[in-house]
Amino acid sequence: NAGVTQTPKFQVLKTGQSMTLQCAQDMNHNSMYWYRQDPGMGLRLIYYSASEGTTDKGEVPNGYNVSRLNKREFSLRLESAAPSQTSVYFCASSEIGAAYNEQFFGPGTRLTVL
Amino acid sequence: AQTVTQSQPEMSVQEAETVTLSCTYDTSESDYYLFWYKQPPSRQMILVIRQEAYKQQNATENRFSVNFQKAAKSFSLKISDSQLGDAAMYFCAYRSFNNAGNMLTFGGGTRLMVKP
């Protein structure tokens, strides 16, 4: 099992460019999440998908869109990147109803917007 | 909304000694879960330990244990016999028991340095 995988690992964008961060999990989890981590801060939730076919905003959704493509995949799109979106992005998944509903995290994507 | 506060941006400990990382949270709920995650330089988030609020007994995982004080809304992490590999960022996180989306709220983190 690969767990949660994210692509790419690193990305540099210019202001105004768009890109999509990909996330996939092979644990058959229902719920998936996108977080961002800024220097000196904890992770903040951008969007989540409680189950296939649903998505909801988290704490910091502005400037982002998401797509729950199927049960395995959950992508995050930046339509017009801004320097304030320079951050490390983490995808996570969990199984609702399991003990503790533990979230499993991917390795992160370091995004720099110039 | 719940908030999680880690008041120690950095801590250091001598190898083989014990260190305690602090975490406080604010909630009006009675049932919830608390977690400590470790983030080494690789950036991978690793679950260290977890605690259900309705359990009075403090959770323990090998060298890691917690001191859960529900009335004080405090959830500290104790690392015994510290090892060089314990050096990392540590994040405290909160999850509501009735959270349909299973969302986590994180504290700002504590950077732990281990001196040989």
Side-chain angles (χ1 to χ4, degrees):
Chain A
N1 282 355
V4 180
T5 57
Q6 293 182 233
T7 55
K9 287 188 168 51
F10 300 93
Q11 184 71 50
V12 178
L13 293 178
K14 294 181 180 178
T15 297
Q17 288 185 317
S18 62
M19 79 160 296
T20 300
L21 280 64
Q22 306 287 353
C23 173
Q25 51 91 9
D26 63 1
M27 295 173 282
N28 203 35
H29 286 165
N30 284 309
S31 300
M32 298 185 74
Y33 312 83
W34 277 106
Y35 293 90
R36 63 178 286 173
Q37 183 181 24
D38 299 310
M41 298 181 68
L43 280 68
R44 292 183 293 168
L45 184 66
I46 304 171
Y47 270 95
Y48 70 99
S49 172
S51 60
E52 189 178 357
T54 68
T55 60
D56 285 286
K57 295 178 180 179
E59 180 185 355
V60 288
N62 291 344
Y64 305 95
N65 285 301
V66 291
S67 295
R68 184 73 184 268
L69 304 170
N70 48 55
K71 191 172 186 179
R72 288 188 65 247
E73 299 173 289
F74 188 39
S75 63
L76 178 72
R77 183 161 178 84
L78 287 70
E79 291 291 352
S80 179
S84 61
Q85 294 179 304
T86 294
S87 190
V88 179
Y89 291 85
F90 288 93
C91 178
S93 71
S94 72
E95 182 58 40
I96 302 296
Y100 293 97
N101 296 341
E102 176 185 347
Q103 288 193 17
F104 295 83
F105 287 82
T109 295
R110 181 177 293 278
L111 175 67
T112 301
V113 183
L114 303 176
Chain B
Q2 294 80 23
T3 58
V4 179
T5 303
Q6 294 178 247
S7 59
Q8 306 152 315
E10 285 190 359
M11 293 281 286
S12 66
V13 62
Q14 205 72 33
E15 193 176 7
E17 294 189 346
T18 296
V19 65
T20 298
L21 308 184
S22 299
C23 172
T24 58
Y25 56 93
D26 185 26
T27 184
S28 59
E29 299 172 329
S30 58
D31 290 328
Y32 47 87
Y33 294 95
L34 295 164
F35 305 85
W36 278 99
Y37 279 88
K38 172 184 178 181
Q39 187 181 44
S42 67
R43 291 205 311 252
Q44 183 70 50
M45 294 288 285
I46 302 165
L47 180 64
V48 174
I49 199 166
R50 52 203 176 192
Q51 173 86 39
E52 299 113 315
Y54 59 86
K55 286 189 176 179
Q56 292 190 347
Q57 186 173 5
N58 289 325
T60 299
E61 289 285 344
N62 300 316
R63 297 183 295 107
F64 298 87
S65 61
V66 298
N67 184 6
F68 173 49
Q69 301 289 329
K70 190 173 183 179
K73 297 179 182 175
S74 171
F75 183 60
S76 60
L77 175 69
K78 186 171 82 171
I79 306 174
S80 303
D81 186 24
S82 296
Q83 300 175 359
L84 295 177
D86 294 334
M89 285 290 292
Y90 286 82
F91 293 97
C92 179
Y94 172 103
R95 183 177 76 79
S96 172
F97 186 80
N98 292 316
N99 183 337
N102 191 30
M103 294 169 286
L104 292 172
T105 300
F106 285 87
T110 296
R111 181 175 303 280
L112 178 65
M113 295 172 285
V114 181
K115 300 177 182 177

